[in-house]
Amino acid sequence: MGQRVLTVTLNPSLDCTITVNALQVAALNRVVRAETDPGGKGINVARVLRHFGADVLATGFVAGDTGRQLLHFLERAQIAQDFLEIDGETRTNWKVFDEKVRKTTELNARGCPVPQTSLAAFREKFAQQCRQAKVAVFSGSLPPEVPADIYAKLIDLAKEAGVKTILDADGEALREGLKSVPYAVKPNIHELEALWGKQLPTPGDVLAAARRLLQTGISLVIVSMGADGAVVADARQAFRVLSWDIPVKSATGAGDSMVGALAYALLQGESLEQIARLTTAAGTRTAARPGTQLCERAEVFSSLQLVTVEPMENI
């Protein structure tokens, strides 16, 4: 087994970020600037890991001219890739940044359907990829016609190969994926509340919900809470984590940056406290960048002491 991280993006995209002075709904808007980047949560994770100097392989499905353009972007970014090509067209997502209010409006497409034969072929490909991996990350939405238990099945394959698994999904994909007991999960507060069907108004409530996940055999839980920081817990310790004040330019990719930092920390065998610092610093630095830009290693490590890590009650 190597030191490679696999990032699985079943529903990748090209992300087109458009900046306007002040978004006018149902009216003409003049574009200040525009940029296109490879997108999808798993691809964002791969980009972060590449910035951190990790050995990472991006995999999943691509289709059509957009898919080929996506692969070209990844090649230019020097991200190793091994995607399964299918019929159809990889989706394009649009993100409109309003400079006046400093907020982003996102328009995300569903993606193209994936036939059962392609799912079977991908499971075989993924099992082979796991032979050289230490960590596998499963994140993002599922394309049409892909069953909600696909992450669960892939997690099982990874675990059979001795690969640590990280799940970052929502809805039924999260619920089904948890049945295969991944090593780590990173829901945000809204995903965790939806999972348990109730509000979690305090960090103590969030920790109690995280404990329920830990009791199923999951080893590590990170719950991101936006401006309220995060709760990071394993079977022995728990921390409330707070970032420093920043001008938020875009939340796009902040959670993915946390997942990328987590995968990197697992490769390095870091302590839970260091994981808490790394993941929060990575998410914060990305939130301070415009559009779909992601954090860089140097700025993350230079920010670790700016992160406040407070022990919560022992579990």
Side-chain angles (χ1 to χ4, degrees), residues 24-314:
Q24 303 295 321
V25 178
L28 175 66
N29 290 269
R30 300 291 183 184
V31 175
V32 176
R33 57 184 170 274
E35 61 180 273
T36 302
D37 297 293
K41 292 177 69 64
I43 286 177
N44 288 340
V45 173
R47 291 169 62 198
V48 170
L49 284 163
R50 182 70 181 85
H51 291 174
F52 276 51
D55 178 9
V56 58
L57 177 70
T59 189
F61 298 111
V62 291
D65 291 338
T66 309
R68 285 186 282 275
Q69 188 177 357
L70 172 66
L71 296 181
H72 177 65
F73 272 109
L74 293 178
E75 184 178 350
R76 286 175 54 189
Q78 298 182 321
I79 295 174
Q81 55 195 267
D82 186 11
F83 283 79
L84 183 68
E85 292 196 41
I86 61 174
D87 292 334
E89 197 71 37
T90 293
R91 64 185 178 146
T92 299
N93 293 335
W94 300 89
K95 304 176 189 301
V96 183
F97 180 66
D98 185 325
E99 287 192 324
K100 182 177 181 180
V101 298
R102 314 297 295 176
K103 292 185 180 297
T104 301
T105 299
E106 299 191 48
L107 303 171
N108 288 353
R110 292 185 65 211
C112 65
V114 179
Q116 291 298 313
T117 52
S118 296
L119 285 174
F122 180 75
R123 286 195 294 268
E124 183 176 341
K125 174 188 284 286
F126 178 73
Q128 296 173 351
Q129 293 167 340
C130 282
R131 296 173 185 172
Q132 302 299 320
K134 185 172 183 178
V135 178
V137 178
F138 309 91
S139 55
S141 64
L142 302 182
E145 300 182 17
V146 172
D149 66 352
I150 182 64
Y151 284 147
K153 291 179 177 179
L154 296 175
I155 288 169
D156 286 338
L157 288 174
K159 289 170 67 175
E160 288 173 9
V163 177
K164 287 184 176 179
T165 56
I166 302 172
L167 177 63
D168 180 18
D170 64 1
E172 285 303 305
L174 172 61
R175 193 177 301 276
E176 290 295 322
L178 291 172
K179 294 178 181 178
S180 289
V181 192
Y183 180 85
V185 294
K186 197 222 70 68
N188 63 38
I189 182 64
H190 306 297
E191 292 162 349
L192 191 62
E193 288 176 337
L195 179 66
W196 298 130
K198 63 179 181 179
Q199 297 293 304
L200 303 170
T202 71
D205 295 323
V206 173
L207 177 57
R211 280 175 170 170
R212 292 178 62 182
L213 294 174
L214 293 168
Q215 288 166 356
T216 68
I218 293 168
S219 296
L220 195 158
V221 178
I222 298 178
V223 183
S224 55
M225 303 183 294
D228 292 325
V231 169
V232 180
D234 64 12
R236 297 181 298 106
Q237 295 176 288
F239 297 102
R240 169 79 186 281
V241 194
L242 297 169
S243 68
W244 63 101
D245 289 335
I246 59 162
V248 176
K249 295 184 178 179
S250 174
T252 301
D256 306 328
S257 297
M258 295 182 74
V259 174
L262 170 59
Y264 176 82
L266 293 181
L267 290 179
Q268 304 302 315
E270 300 287 3
S271 67
L272 187 68
E273 181 175 353
Q274 185 71 350
I275 287 173
R277 291 188 184 279
L278 270 171
T279 55
T280 300
T284 302
R285 282 300 183 185
T286 290
R289 286 173 167 261
T292 55
Q293 295 182 29
L294 301 172
C295 61
E296 298 282 350
R297 185 184 190 278
E299 65 182 359
V300 170
F301 278 85
S302 68
S303 304
L304 294 181
Q305 297 309 310
L306 299 175
V307 177
T308 301
V309 180
E310 301 172 345
M312 300 179 75
E313 58 180 300
N314 291 331

